[in-house]
Amino acid sequence: MHFIPTALRGPLFMVVATGSYVVNDTMMKLATTGLPPYEVLFLRGVAATLWSIPLLFMLGYARQVPQLVDKRVLVRNLFETAGIVAYVVALANMPIADASALAQITPLLVIIGASMFFGERIGATRLGLIALGFIGALMIAQPTLQGISIFALLALANAAFGAARDLTGQRVAAEVPGMIVAISAVLVVLLGAGIMHLLFERWVTPEPYHLTLMAGAGLFLISGHFFIFMAYRVGPTGVVAPFFYSFTVWAVISGLLVFGEFPNPLAIGGILLVVSSGLIIVTLDQRKRRQTGMKETNGTAPLSEPVLPAPLPGEP
């Protein structure tokens, strides 16, 4: 890894992480053509668990295994599960680019939630950018006189649960490693998918083709978790975070190459609005943090760059 310039490692790892998540989503969407969505999610969870156990020990987290069931970690991951349960049905019935783009409003919802529950000030500029992001989401969902499709609503529900996940995740103790939180999420989602399958679906015996897809999806899910964790570890948050929006670019590429889908002009405009508003908010927040750090440096001691918990996208 030493051959990669230090300044490029964080952004590169984030791009690899988002690409891994989209490959995971692509394999899951392919599998839902022959299997019920919750069964697909359950099988993906089994595969991801089998991949994650060796990783847990390779990264030296054996002693932190009890933290997998930490109360705050579990609460955070229950919201993760609710979001993914909604997302997998949306993914099975919507173009992958549209489903992924609607998930990208999660950071905007986090800002609103932080204002409502933690008293953080939004400001007129950020409020306007959030409004643009929501307009973009409506352009993607494209409601008709009959209303927004149930699948678009499920994709939006995934974003809302993702925001709740990230807000509650801020209460997870700093000493809990990001990979422990991610692997705990894999296990909780596995359990939730199993329950939903038993309640609403009938078991369909998977063919080798489906099992191969699920093994690959589990591997790329863990790869996404690992690289997003590494991205925030090796790079400053403000530099790395904007590259999270490459998720949408990967999704458009997947939709075009794998499914022959391309967003219509209105959806493309919506995707651009969602991504642009998010990028500008990240840039403004980084500038504000840098200015605050300069003031603190002039007055007392320098502030270190905060390392935020790695967000797990609507896929996770």
Side-chain angles (χ1 to χ4, degrees):
M1 203 175 296
H2 61 278
F3 57 87
I4 303 174
T6 303
L8 296 180
R9 290 178 189 174
L12 177 61
F13 289 165
M14 178 59 81
V15 171
V16 172
T18 55
S20 296
Y21 285 129
V22 170
V23 173
N24 159 74
D25 283 356
T26 302
M27 291 181 167
M28 290 182 65
K29 185 172 176 65
L30 288 170
T32 57
T33 58
L35 299 176
Y38 295 136
E39 181 179 335
V40 168
L41 191 57
F42 175 78
L43 292 173
R44 195 280 305 269
V46 172
T49 300
L50 294 176
W51 287 114
S52 64
I53 291 174
L55 183 63
L56 192 70
F57 290 93
M58 286 171 56
L59 294 176
Y61 292 141
R63 294 183 179 180
Q64 280 112 327
V65 166
Q67 293 176 330
L68 291 170
V69 293
D70 176 87
K71 182 186 297 185
R72 292 180 177 178
V73 171
L74 288 178
V75 170
R76 182 244 181 233
N77 289 337
L78 285 173
F79 283 116
E80 171 86 4
T81 300
I84 293 178
V85 163
Y87 181 74
V88 70
V89 178
L91 181 66
N93 294 277
M94 289 180 66
I96 187 172
D98 291 0
S100 299
L102 288 173
Q104 304 311 297
I105 70 169
T106 295
L108 308 180
L109 295 177
V110 169
I111 293 172
I112 294 175
S115 174
M116 293 173 60
F117 299 111
F118 304 147
E120 294 186 13
R121 296 183 59 185
I122 295 180
T125 301
R126 289 207 301 176
L127 190 60
L129 290 169
I130 291 170
L132 285 178
F134 284 122
I135 292 171
L138 287 175
M139 292 168 65
I140 298 165
Q142 296 179 18
T144 64
L145 292 176
Q146 288 73 40
I148 299 177
S149 78
I150 183 62
F151 305 117
L153 287 174
L154 287 172
L156 290 170
N158 167 54
F161 283 122
R165 169 203 68 203
D166 292 343
L167 289 168
T168 55
Q170 294 180 20
R171 296 294 184 250
V172 174
E175 61 266 19
V176 180
M179 283 305 297
I180 288 290
V181 177
I183 293 172
S184 175
V186 168
L187 297 174
V188 175
V189 171
L190 169 63
L191 178 61
I195 293 172
M196 295 296 287
H197 173 71
L198 291 174
L199 290 176
F200 300 109
E201 297 174 342
R202 290 185 178 181
W203 179 262
V204 176
T205 302
E207 299 178 0
Y209 165 73
H210 298 121
L211 295 177
T212 301
L213 285 174
M214 291 303 93
L219 176 61
F220 279 100
L221 176 67
I222 294 302
S223 171
H225 288 344
F226 174 75
F227 279 105
I228 205 168
F229 172 70
M230 290 301 297
Y232 282 103
R233 168 164 285 185
V234 303
T237 301
V239 173
V240 171
F243 288 88
F244 172 74
Y245 287 95
S246 60
F247 195 103
T248 302
V249 177
W250 286 119
V252 171
I253 293 172
S254 171
L256 183 62
L257 296 182
V258 181
F259 302 104
E261 303 167 343
F262 192 77
N264 61 38
L266 187 60
I268 292 174
I271 290 171
L272 292 175
L273 273 181
V274 170
V275 172
S276 299
S277 60
L279 286 172
I280 294 171
I281 285 175
V282 169
T283 303
L284 291 176
D285 285 350
Q286 174 62 10
R287 183 182 301 170
K288 182 178 179 181
R289 187 179 300 121
R290 191 182 302 116
Q291 291 173 348
T292 303
M294 291 174 62
K295 291 178 181 178
E296 291 290 335
T297 301
N298 292 333
T300 52
L303 290 178
S304 60
E305 176 75 29
V307 179
L308 302 180
L312 302 181
E315 168 32 34

